[in-house]
Amino acid sequence: MALLHGGQLAVIAQQYQIPESDWLDLSTGIAPFSYPVIDIPLPVWQQLPTISTTLIEVAKQYYQAEHCWPLAGSQQLIEQLPQLWLNKISADNKIIAKHVYLPKVGYKEHQQAWQQAGFELHFYQQQLPSDIIENSVVVVINPNNPNNDRFSIQQLCVLQQQCKKQQALLVIDEAFADIFPTDFSFVQQLNDGQGNNEDVIILRSIGKFFGLAGLRIGFVCSSQSWCEIIKQRIGPWSINGAALYITEQALNDTQWQQTQIIRLQQQSHSQYQILKQYFPHCRIETNALFNTVYSTDAASIHRRLCQQAIYVRLTDENDALRFGIADQLQLERLQYLLSELFQENKI
Ligand SMILES: Cc1ncc(COP(=O)(O)O)c(C=O)c1O
């Protein structure tokens, strides 16, 4: 079943009978400033895509990884991981324990993938799981989307030790981690040279921070053996040449990355101030890629925002609204539309 995320503006525009061009669309956590898409040389389109050693070297440097491999978006591996893990468990002659620990709130594609593979779901909230069943799977989203929950390296190390003891697979989804300093990521912990972190899989996305979700590219950072399994599984051409070409430039462009983080932080902060002004009693979780406003009235506020052509993401729990970060023009429009709504007492 297709899950609802942000985006898909056409659907919501149709529902509210407002032309797509009239909407202020802040429904995703994708940066409003995209890495500039440079002229792409003709051979990149003409030839079959090649995953070059230079791209891998650039990605290793950016992620501080010993081993990594590109994916057609981190979503590609989220969907394939249950089968890969089951194959690995049976190849190692281990008992198959179809148990997975997932954050109660978070990107629901993880849950769907494991559920469809017949895994029993165990949910945790705020605290990472501590009593892990042998050969099971633990999924962590860090930072979490949409509640912005974060786990420290120390907390993740404790979890990783438990997973290792129980021969469990640890999956850490860091799709939004680029907005934090490099030492926020668990990737560097994989480089202990002892193979202690064999069954840890870290997912990274190019879509969010670089504002290029349509390019469909992300990375997995893991052990050499997992990278090899994944490489074999996804085959030689699932990531298109243009995506590989642009990503190599983007990961290399540290100056652009520094500018990006500063302007995202500034825009997020300004947006937070506006939201605080209109929702003074609501808890707002904020990072450089989204602001999430908690309210018991979230569903009805969402409806009224939509009537005003402001499209944000109503959480699956119907308890909050996630505002993606607006650029300056969008922010001015957001402020104007919110002021109109409040003047008319529609909220
Ligand atoms: C937490 C999280 N992980 C992974 C993804 C998938 O991203 P992509 O496939 O574009 O890398 C998303 C998309 O919204 C997400 O929110």
Side-chain angles (χ1 to χ4, degrees):
M1 191 185 70
L3 293 169
L4 267 186
H5 302 291
Q8 300 154 308
L9 176 62
V11 177
I12 206 97
Q14 165 79 18
Q15 193 182 331
Y16 284 86
Q17 293 289 297
I18 302 173
E20 273 184 60
S21 53
D22 288 358
W23 286 81
L24 173 59
D25 183 359
L26 301 177
S27 66
T28 72
I30 298 162
F33 317 107
S34 301
Y35 188 75
V37 176
I38 43 266
D39 274 347
I40 297 171
L42 189 58
V44 171
W45 300 113
Q46 284 177 321
Q47 294 164 4
L48 284 165
T50 311
I51 295 167
S52 66
T53 47
T54 49
L55 171 68
I56 298 298
E57 284 312 311
V58 168
K60 281 188 190 173
Q61 175 68 27
Y62 179 82
Y63 294 119
Q64 297 287 293
E66 240 168 46
H67 307 285
C68 64
W69 197 252
L71 306 163
S74 49
Q75 177 65 26
Q76 185 185 30
L77 189 55
I78 292 174
E79 288 168 21
Q80 301 200 4
L81 210 42
Q83 195 51 54
L84 291 180
W85 174 242
L86 289 174
N87 295 351
K88 190 168 189 287
I89 287 264
S90 53
D92 292 350
N93 284 324
K94 290 190 201 155
I95 300 157
I96 296 181
K98 285 185 149 187
H99 292 273
V100 60
Y101 300 84
L102 295 150
K104 188 159 182 1
V105 173
Y107 187 56
K108 286 283 179 277
E109 297 283 345
H110 289 284
Q111 175 180 332
Q112 174 154 290
W114 295 99
Q115 198 164 15
Q116 282 177 348
F119 278 65
E120 191 175 320
L121 312 178
H122 304 260
F123 293 105
Y124 63 88
Q125 249 175 318
Q126 283 151 354
Q127 300 267 339
L128 291 170
S130 54
D131 211 358
I132 295 160
I133 298 170
E134 209 178 336
N135 296 337
S136 60
V137 179
V138 181
V139 177
V140 180
I141 306 174
N142 202 33
N144 199 349
N145 163 28
N147 63 12
N148 198 29
D149 277 358
R150 276 157 291 170
F151 298 102
S152 67
I153 293 291
Q154 288 77 2
Q155 287 171 302
L156 292 169
C157 280
V158 171
L159 176 64
Q160 192 278 325
Q161 285 303 320
Q162 299 222 21
C163 287
K164 186 172 157 55
K165 200 167 129 233
Q166 296 299 78
Q167 302 188 38
L169 174 68
L170 175 57
V171 182
I172 308 179
D173 178 343
E174 296 187 353
F176 289 89
D178 305 54
I179 52 176
F180 298 112
T182 319
D183 60 5
F184 173 85
S185 168
F186 201 71
V187 174
Q188 282 174 68
Q189 307 301 315
L190 304 184
N191 310 338
D192 73 347
Q194 321 264 316
N196 275 330
N197 297 312
E198 172 65 28
D199 286 328
V200 181
I201 290 197
I202 300 177
L203 297 165
R204 303 291 302 240
S205 179
I206 294 294
K208 321 290 181 214
F209 177 72
F210 292 93
L212 294 172
L215 207 53
R216 306 310 308 135
I217 179 164
F219 282 84
V220 56
C221 302
S222 189
S223 56
Q224 190 171 6
S225 61
W226 263 111
C227 285
E228 198 51 47
I229 291 172
I230 292 159
K231 183 174 158 181
Q232 297 306 328
R233 173 68 178 222
I234 67 173
W237 302 316
S238 61
I239 307 136
N240 69 81
L244 297 168
Y245 182 82
I246 294 164
T247 298
E248 187 173 326
Q249 321 254 336
L251 293 180
N252 235 338
D253 197 342
T254 48
Q255 205 174 349
W256 184 90
Q257 292 156 18
Q258 279 158 17
T259 308
Q260 177 77 335
I261 188 68
I262 292 166
R263 64 185 164 184
L264 284 175
Q265 280 165 349
Q266 283 169 348
Q267 286 302 116
S268 174
H269 183 67
S270 308
Q271 183 166 309
Y272 172 82
Q273 304 286 355
I274 292 171
L275 294 173
K276 206 66 209 153
Q277 184 187 339
Y278 288 100
F279 303 101
H281 305 300
C282 297
R283 173 167 70 92
I284 304 180
E285 290 297 335
T286 175
N287 67 33
L289 282 168
F290 53 82
N291 290 312
T292 304
V293 180
Y294 284 82
S295 167
T296 45
D297 282 340
S300 76
I301 300 173
H302 183 258
R303 203 171 43 250
R304 280 170 282 167
L305 290 174
C306 283
Q307 285 160 354
Q308 197 77 351
I310 305 173
Y311 178 28
V312 298
R313 169 82 156 93
L314 176 65
T315 56
D316 298 319
E317 295 70 29
N318 279 2
D319 63 349
L321 301 162
R322 187 194 63 194
F323 289 72
I325 304 306
D327 66 20
Q328 197 47 39
L329 274 179
Q330 291 174 318
L331 198 60
E332 285 162 21
R333 190 152 171 237
L334 177 66
Q335 184 152 31
Y336 171 75
L337 291 173
L338 284 175
S339 74
E340 279 208 322
L341 260 182
F342 277 81
Q343 267 167 25
E344 293 167 19
N345 274 332
K346 285 194 195 155
I347 282 191

